[in-house]
Amino acid sequence: MLHLCSNLHFSIKTWSFLFIFFILAFFTTLNYHHNSPPTSLFYFNTFISSATNYTLATYLRHLTLHPHLAGTTPSLHTALYVKSHFQSLNLQTHVTNYTVLLSYPLFSSVILHFPNGSVLSLALDEPGFSSSGVVKPYHAYSPSGSAYGKPCFLNYGRKKDYIALGANGVKVKGCVGIVRRGGGLSRNEMVEKAAARGVEAVLMFTEGEFEGGVERGTVMSGLGDPLSPGWGGVENGEKLRIDDPLVMQRFPSIHSLPISMKSAEIILKSLEGPEMPYEWRKSLRCSTSGRLGPGPIMINFTYQGEKKMATVHNVFAVIRGSQEPDRFVLLGNHRDAWTYGAVDPNSGTAALLDIARRYALLMRLGWNPRRTIILCSWDAEEFGMIGSTEWVEQNLVNLGSKSVAYLNVDCAVQGPGFFPSTTPQFDNLLTEITKKVNDPDSEGMTLYERWTAANRGIKIQRLSGVDSDFAPFLHHAGVPSVDLYYGRDFPVYHTAFDSYNWMVNFGDPFFQRHVAVTGVWGLLALRLAEDPILPFNYLPYAAELQDYTRILSKLLEGRNISLHPITAATQELAAAAKETLDEAKKLKEDKATDEHTALKRRILNDRLMFAERGFLDAEGLQGRPWFKHMVYGPRNDGESELDFFPGIANAISKSSGGGEQNAEIQHEIWRTARAIQRAAHGLKGELIT
């Protein structure tokens, strides 16, 4: 027996799980024998106790055997693995395919020409991966072409960085810009800001990358397939031409390429010209000459890529609700990766597969959720949330009328620490659930205890960023959303070193962090699918809006602009939230099972579910109409001080303080106030008469 256990690598935790499983099955049998079916609490406890780090590690190992970039054969094999896993659990499984425009590299080179006549060709591959099937480092959707010019260090490529360069007498027009990632800007914003100032091409590096890793990524703006903006990119459906202005405006106008920090150092140490500002030198984590350039070396830059049609595959497992089958709780994770994807995204994929396994176990014990649960495995997220966006656009009406919540996990485990982001009506529920899950790094403590100790209280981020698959659900469809991470940053992001070996050596050697994230994610979905009254509380939403208004008031101090519309609308939302809580309490205490009481619960749940849709504005954000959420969404200027009220933030960024600009800000304040008011009315469930 011991020899058998050794061969199978069974851990003590695995045997504990089997023991618990048999005990649970025994008592379940006793319950049925006495005509007392298991309670929701029984199933919740079973879900928690059926966790094993062994299964999570096994799933991740299989998912990361090969690189699986979207649109490639290995990516299809990964989709089939997820599909077969769902089917093996007897879950209703289906695949939805989309034909979309993706982007791949063909050739790239960066050659340095020194004043003494010597020439150096920079190594663009990562060490040890030249023949591994890993895609060469590149920026998806970068235009092909060549550039020849002197290098110039642009810091993060922000507006204030260009002001500092100008103040030092540096002219960037015609240069090849060297930019470091960060500063709040997306890759697209970095490249476009450089193009607007006459920079010929951009070389982008990430500080602190692991052993010469290079961070791949997309430089396309917006979400979804560029050829089907606003509608699902189904096969034989409408497609815009690639030279259509609506398509071309999604792509940068100049070439760009990612390079390693080591390659960036070679360039930065060769620069002459004015000294770097002290703040730049102090924060840089790589060696430099301390100069800005341009030159004196010259860079010959060439990139050739291809944009081509490819099929991407979304895989779904559906657990049909027994009482409210037309109400959907969605759990989503993307499956495609730039390379092996052990952290990004397949730590999350492993968690999704384990949730499926544990839900299937509950079903074998007699469980069926009140509402429908849908497990979603997205494709082509790395290119711009393409798989999830196409599906949301295709199903917009049903999602808008039937979705309870979308729960996203991208990189389940990046390192230590719990970092949740939610829309605020989840705050109380999330806090409650963290008290049920053991902390993976502190024996004898719950996740809640460790999380609050590390942050001196509860710290929940919000969802204004456009950095994972929650974006189309929240920003376009208005579905209440959650995004969960364990760990904040990791040094192998989008590099060839994001592998199973890195995870077992650095990220989560014993896979206990995976267990913790899976526990929180799965319990959130169980509560949302099972509770007779949806566990949403909009008082934290109103409190958050009040905080935002105070911050905005300080920012606009001294300008002839009134925030009263937002203040009044927020007060209305707070009153509606309080009334709804009181109503929910009474209904929870009412144990009646007649149709009238069931209908009252259904009506209240609809109001709790639909209130988030009120924050949408049909016209969308100015300049980015696809994004419709007036509280959370992307800013046109990544340098804005505000990470909320995106319409107002955009108007302030364009403003120079004049009367006309003040009027535009005031208009956006009114638009935001009307959105808050719509949410309040939706929560009340009353028509305005």
Side-chain angles (χ1 to χ4, degrees):
M1 178 63 75
L2 289 174
H3 178 66
L4 176 62
C5 291
S6 175
N7 287 341
L8 293 178
H9 303 286
F10 275 10
S11 65
I12 293 173
K13 184 140 188 161
T14 305
W15 287 113
S16 301
F17 159 66
L18 292 173
F19 175 75
I20 292 168
F21 172 76
F22 287 121
I23 293 296
L24 291 171
F26 173 72
F27 280 107
T28 302
T29 304
L30 287 182
N31 281 334
Y32 277 120
H33 182 71
H34 291 94
N35 296 317
S36 177
T39 63
S40 291
L41 180 60
F42 170 84
Y43 291 124
F44 294 170
N45 289 338
T46 303
F47 176 83
I48 286 294
S49 62
S50 61
T52 79
N53 50 354
Y54 173 79
T55 55
L56 284 155
T58 301
Y59 297 146
L60 186 64
R61 179 62 179 150
H62 194 102
L63 289 161
T64 57
L65 288 173
H66 306 285
H68 43 284
L69 184 63
T72 66
T73 299
S75 182
L76 172 60
H77 292 162
T78 311
L80 294 175
Y81 172 70
V82 172
K83 178 187 175 186
S84 66
H85 176 77
F86 289 158
Q87 290 174 328
S88 72
L89 298 170
N90 294 318
L91 300 178
Q92 179 187 333
T93 305
H94 63 272
V95 178
T96 302
N97 298 326
Y98 296 99
T99 306
V100 300
L101 186 71
L102 299 184
S103 165
Y104 303 98
L106 296 174
F107 173 80
S108 57
S109 72
V110 176
I111 300 173
L112 311 184
H113 295 265
F114 292 86
N116 63 5
S118 62
V119 174
L120 174 65
S121 180
L122 288 183
L124 301 180
D125 285 323
E126 290 149 309
F129 293 96
S130 58
S131 59
S132 61
V134 172
V135 70
K136 288 173 68 74
Y138 78 113
H139 282 158
Y141 304 105
S142 172
S144 297
S146 298
Y148 185 72
K150 294 179 178 180
C152 179
F153 182 52
L154 308 178
N155 200 27
Y156 295 112
R158 302 166 298 188
K159 180 180 178 181
K160 62 183 179 181
D161 294 328
Y162 288 106
I163 291 173
L165 287 164
N168 280 281
V170 177
K171 296 179 180 178
V172 301
K173 186 175 182 180
C175 291
V176 173
I178 313 301
V179 187
R180 57 170 165 166
R181 288 280 284 129
L185 298 185
S186 68
R187 297 179 196 86
N188 172 268
E189 288 174 312
M190 287 179 167
V191 176
E192 289 293 60
K193 285 177 182 287
R197 290 162 175 82
V199 174
E200 289 289 314
V202 170
L203 295 176
M204 200 176 294
F205 72 97
T206 303
E207 295 177 277
E209 286 290 24
F210 186 80
E211 294 184 357
V214 183
E215 180 190 313
R216 297 149 181 82
T218 183
V219 288
M220 181 176 70
S221 68
L223 303 186
D225 177 23
L227 303 188
S228 57
W231 63 90
V234 297
E235 189 175 0
N236 300 321
E238 181 187 6
K239 298 285 185 186
L240 300 181
R241 298 188 319 275
I242 195 169
D243 59 352
D244 188 294
L246 285 175
V247 176
M248 295 303 295
Q249 70 182 13
R250 299 277 299 274
F251 308 141
S253 55
I254 62 172
H255 338 296
S256 67
L257 196 67
I259 58 174
S260 69
M261 188 171 76
K262 186 178 294 186
S263 292
E265 283 182 330
I266 295 172
I267 299 172
L268 294 176
K269 286 194 290 188
S270 72
L271 294 181
E272 297 180 4
E275 283 192 3
M276 285 184 194
Y278 172 73
E279 294 78 10
W280 298 15
R281 293 200 312 273
K282 186 173 75 169
S283 62
L284 270 167
R285 295 165 60 187
C286 60
S287 300
T288 76
S289 66
R291 303 286 176 168
L292 294 167
I297 71 168
M298 301 293 289
I299 292 183
N300 192 342
F301 172 108
T302 300
Y303 171 74
Q304 292 295 324
E306 62 173 344
K307 299 180 182 75
K308 66 179 184 179
M309 303 305 295
T311 301
V312 299
H313 318 276
N314 294 336
V315 185
F316 303 92
V318 180
I319 304 173
R320 192 69 58 186
S322 59
Q323 298 178 49
E324 299 179 67
D326 62 336
R327 293 293 179 259
F328 307 145
V329 177
L330 302 110
L331 296 82
N333 157 267
H334 78 92
R335 187 185 62 252
D336 66 295
W338 287 113
T339 63
Y340 297 97
V343 176
D344 184 7
N346 297 136
S347 58
T349 313
L352 187 71
L353 297 182
D354 201 54
I355 285 174
R357 176 189 67 81
R358 289 154 75 175
Y359 284 175
L361 167 62
L362 301 188
M363 293 171 72
R364 291 196 296 274
L365 296 176
W367 170 74
N368 239 84
R370 170 186 293 268
R371 303 178 186 92
T372 295
I373 293 174
I374 305 176
L375 308 179
C376 313
S377 177
W378 309 117
D379 203 354
E381 185 269 359
E382 298 292 8
F383 287 84
M385 277 63 81
I386 288 178
S388 58
T389 298
E390 298 312 299
W391 192 76
V392 167
E393 290 174 341
Q394 188 181 14
N395 293 281
L396 192 58
V397 171
N398 279 323
L399 288 172
S401 60
K402 299 177 181 180
S403 294
V404 172
Y406 175 70
L407 312 177
N408 190 69
V409 171
D410 190 322
C411 309
V413 179
Q414 303 181 135
F418 183 54
F419 295 92
S421 300
T422 73
T423 44
Q425 69 269 57
F426 284 101
D427 286 5
N428 290 8
L429 174 62
L430 177 67
T431 301
E432 185 180 337
I433 283 173
T434 59
K435 297 176 182 178
K436 310 292 184 186
V437 176
N438 291 331
D439 185 78
D441 299 316
S442 304
E443 190 172 351
M445 294 182 73
T446 64
L447 180 56
Y448 170 81
E449 290 168 331
R450 180 65 177 171
W451 173 42
T452 53
N455 296 287
R456 298 181 181 178
I458 294 168
K459 185 175 182 180
I460 301 175
Q461 302 293 330
R462 299 308 173 201
L463 294 169
S464 283
V466 185
D467 47 18
S468 194
D469 290 299
F470 64 81
F473 286 91
L474 177 62
H475 300 157
H476 190 66
V479 177
S481 296
V482 170
D483 192 32
L484 302 175
Y485 286 85
Y486 221 89
R488 175 172 287 167
D489 301 310
F490 63 108
V492 295
Y493 176 64
H494 288 188
T495 76
F497 297 100
D498 183 7
S499 65
Y500 185 81
N501 285 340
W502 188 88
M503 182 62 76
V504 298
N505 285 303
F506 302 102
D508 192 14
F510 301 105
F511 283 79
Q512 294 299 340
R513 293 168 183 164
H514 282 76
V515 170
V517 175
T518 307
V520 174
W521 196 12
L523 282 180
L524 274 172
L526 286 175
R527 287 289 305 276
L528 292 163
E530 280 293 315
D531 283 19
I533 304 296
L534 288 175
F536 285 157
N537 182 348
Y538 279 86
L539 281 176
Y541 221 134
E544 197 86 346
L545 294 174
Q546 289 168 347
D547 287 344
Y548 297 161
T549 306
R550 282 192 285 271
I551 294 169
L552 193 58
S553 177
K554 291 180 181 178
L555 189 63
L556 296 174
E557 196 170 2
R559 301 178 70 163
N560 186 25
I561 295 171
S562 172
L563 292 174
H564 177 72
I566 292 180
T567 302
T570 301
Q571 290 171 347
E572 193 172 348
L573 179 64
K578 179 65 169 62
E579 291 172 14
T580 304
L581 274 183
D582 293 341
E583 187 178 346
K585 183 179 178 182
K586 291 177 183 177
L587 277 174
K588 287 175 184 175
E589 293 169 350
D590 188 348
K591 303 303 180 184
T593 58
D594 60 280
E595 288 186 10
H596 179 66
T597 306
L599 182 60
K600 286 167 66 177
R601 292 193 186 102
R602 171 81 169 195
I603 291 171
L604 175 58
N605 283 337
D606 283 353
R607 287 155 46 198
L608 289 165
M609 188 173 78
F610 292 140
E612 186 73 45
R613 318 289 198 267
F615 294 117
L616 302 181
D617 185 281
E619 294 180 3
L621 302 180
Q622 296 296 323
R624 305 181 81 171
W626 188 90
F627 294 95
K628 300 186 181 300
H629 205 286
M630 299 303 292
V631 178
Y632 300 116
R635 301 148 294 171
N636 289 343
D637 184 355
E639 300 176 50
S640 170
E641 297 178 46
L642 304 179
D643 59 358
F644 51 84
F645 297 161
I648 299 173
N650 293 339
I652 292 173
S653 293
K654 292 193 299 182
S655 169
S656 58
E660 188 176 330
Q661 286 84 14
N662 282 357
E664 187 173 346
I665 295 170
Q666 190 68 64
H667 173 61
E668 289 297 332
I669 287 170
W670 275 109
R671 290 182 74 208
T672 303
R674 287 191 289 271
I676 297 169
Q677 194 174 51
R678 283 193 298 272
H681 294 162
L683 201 54
K684 289 179 182 177
E686 299 173 356
L687 292 173
I688 304 170
T689 56

